[in-house]
Amino acid sequence: RKQDELRLQQSEALLQQVIDAPNIGMAVYRAVRNEAGDIVDFVHEYINRSSRAMLGEDFTGKLFTDHGENGRRQLPQLRAVIETGQSNRYIREADFRGRQVWFSITNTPLDGDRLLHTWEDVTERQQAEQEIRRLQDELAQQVQERYY
């Protein structure tokens, strides 16, 4: 029995290390429904260490809309996961701690009214892609001016 308990503790510790290892925010949300059964919000049931570091606080037990406009704008995507049982993925720009940041977000259904929400800051990647597009447009304009 003691060995089983030790193995369980070691397994739980390993799982926590795996969840906390990547520099990706991860949270489990549970749908909050009104009397009519409509989803009106989500409550944070769990957030990983990267999320706590990124957000500057532990949102466990708080509502998703406590994130303000950034949270309210994502409610339709979260609802869709629960209502359809299908994952969704999107990239969105947000005002985060006083600066414009791009996040790659994935929402995956879990059991019943729960979903897994992961996000990664992809601002540098988005900025690099925008710069590449700008340079391509500039080059095309120079070719146009020179040869036509």
Side-chain angles (χ1 to χ4, degrees), residues 5 47 68 77 79 108-109 118 129 131 134:
E5 287 178 17
I47 67 171
Q77 288 92 346
R79 276 189 206 107
T108 306
T118 59
E129 289 174 6
E131 180 64 9
R134 186 190 69 74

Side-chain angles (χ1 to χ4, degrees), residues 24 89-92 102-106 118-122 125:
I24 295 173
R89 182 181 170 105
Y90 49 97
I91 294 178
R92 68 177 297 273
W102 289 89
F103 290 105
S104 175
I105 300 168
T106 302
T118 59
W119 64 97
E120 179 180 12
D121 182 341
V122 294
R125 184 183 325 152

Side-chain angles (χ1 to χ4, degrees), residues 21-33:
N23 192 25
I24 295 173
M26 187 179 300
V28 173
Y29 299 137
R30 181 180 42 80
V32 175
R33 295 178 181 270

Side-chain angles (χ1 to χ4, degrees), residues 10-76:
Q10 290 172 337
S11 178
E12 288 174 350
L14 176 61
L15 178 59
Q16 189 63 51
Q17 288 173 344
V18 168
I19 289 170
D20 286 334
N23 192 25
I24 295 173
M26 187 179 300
V28 173
Y29 299 137
R30 181 180 42 80
V32 175
R33 295 178 181 270
N34 62 16
E35 289 93 23
D38 300 320
I39 297 173
V40 294
D41 210 332
F42 288 83
V43 66
H44 295 73
E45 289 196 330
Y46 170 84
I47 67 171
N48 71 342
R49 183 174 38 217
S50 292
S51 298
R52 291 189 302 272
M54 190 182 302
L55 297 170
E57 67 178 289
D58 186 349
F59 269 75
T60 303
K62 295 183 180 182
L63 296 175
F64 193 73
T65 54
D66 288 344
H67 293 290
E69 184 62 25
N70 289 333
R72 285 187 293 277
R73 287 180 51 200
Q74 291 184 77
L75 281 179

